[in-house]
Every structure is written in structure tokens, then in C-alpha cells.
Amino acid sequence: VLILADSVRRYALLAGKGGRPYSPQMAFGALYLISGKSVPWLDAQRRYRLGQYVRGAGAMDLVRLTRRRAQTREYWCRDSLMDKVRESIRISGATGRLADLFHLAPGTIVEGYADVPTAKQVIHDCRLRLGGEPTGVRLRTAVALPAHDGNDGSPAMPLGVCAADLAASDDPRERRAGVETLGRLLAAFKDESR
């Protein structure tokens, strides 16, 4: 068994209090709720219960509880195909203009979400190579990826999802930016609920 240093750091970051991580639907629901987005895939009872749980959570609790929303893998990609990857997925983290929202410099890695069929297509069409160096694409494959409503005109994931991705990062600046943003979103959500 090969255990990477990144895996150990990520485990240490997310290890904490007891409690089972949310299912992918509930994880996306929690992050969409704090982002002010609708969660039509959850019925009213589950939305209410989730809202109660989220009101009692802290930023790092939320990172830990929502960690099973997608499977993350890193790929090498040709520079000439990076734009095609960016257009094919729903960007997240500090990719492109999202970096400004977190007061970070834009990274060189394209990060984003895709459902399983889209992820397979992107890997094939863009000839992504798993574990290749340098990493160019961080692809988060979700079995329960919410449909993109397109109302805001942006192909990006909601701010809460982007913040949770950054909060689980190994980079201290990204992690701090993600945790601070999650804290602000949670505080605003709790204030609205009163």
C-alpha cells in the first residue's frame, strides 16, 4: 500500500469530531444552502433538517461533513487543451476569475466538477493523464452533481462549494481563504434564519 504525504495531511485536516459525512446530495445541499441557492433535489423535510444541522456547524465541521460530495483526481493536461477542459466542466476553487473572490492569485490548475459521463468524456477528449506531472487539472467527479440553473450566467459552482474545495486544500493560503469564506457564508445563513 502506498500512502502519499498529501493523503496524510488531508486526513489530519479533516479528522475531528464524530459524525458520519453527508451523502453527496446532502453535502451539495448544505453548500448550496449557505450560498443562497435553491436545493430542489431535497424534499421540504430534508431541507429543514439540513438547515438545522448547518446552523449548528462551524466552517471546518462543514468541510469535514461535506467531503464525500465528489471524488477528486489530479491529471496532467496539454496546455493547448486546457481551455477545452475549462469549458467542459463547472469550475471551482480558485480557477480563473474565482481567485479574485477569495483574494488569491489565479492558480495554474484548472479545477472543477463534472458528472460521471462528462468526466469520462473530458478525460478521453482532452487526453488527461492521471498522476502525470505537472498537475494541470483537478477534476471532481460527482455522482449527484446538481443541475446548473444558469441564472447567474456563470458556469462556476456556487461560492460555498468553491470555498469548501479551498478549505480542504494543502496550500495554507487557499485553506485560510476557504475557511474564512465558509465562516462568512455560515454567519450570513444563521442571521437570515433568525
Side-chain angles (χ1 to χ4, degrees), residues 49-133:
R49 246 187 0 208
L50 183 60
Q52 295 300 316
Y53 293 148
V54 169
R55 280 182 202 89
M60 285 311 294
D61 294 330
L62 201 57
V63 173
R64 184 179 53 77
L65 290 170
T66 62
R67 71 182 183 266
R68 290 192 181 160
R69 65 189 171 277
Q71 181 181 47
T72 304
R73 293 210 168 123
E74 295 184 342
Y75 297 90
W76 170 88
C77 180
R78 290 181 188 205
D79 290 340
S80 60
L81 293 171
M82 290 295 247
D83 285 338
K84 184 173 184 176
V85 172
R86 192 177 286 109
E87 292 165 6
S88 303
I89 63 176
R90 293 180 59 194
I91 60 170
S92 183
T95 302
R97 8 180 228 112
L98 288 175
D100 291 341
L101 296 175
F102 296 100
H103 307 291
L104 295 169
T108 57
I109 295 177
V110 173
E111 181 173 351
Y113 285 81
D115 58 18
V116 175
T118 304
K120 287 180 181 176
Q121 193 67 43
V122 169
I123 291 166
H124 177 267
D125 292 350
C126 298
R127 291 172 270 176
L128 302 183
R129 194 167 63 223
L130 183 62
E133 291 292 331

Side-chain angles (χ1 to χ4, degrees), residues 151-165:
N151 290 339
D152 56 7
S154 169
M157 293 298 285
L159 189 58
V161 178
C162 298
D165 291 341

Side-chain angles (χ1 to χ4, degrees), residues 135-166:
T135 297
V137 175
R138 186 172 295 129
L139 185 59
R140 298 180 185 272
T141 306
V143 295
L145 185 66
H148 178 53
D149 59 13
N151 290 339
D152 56 7
S154 169
M157 293 298 285
L159 189 58
V161 178
C162 298
D165 291 341
L166 290 174

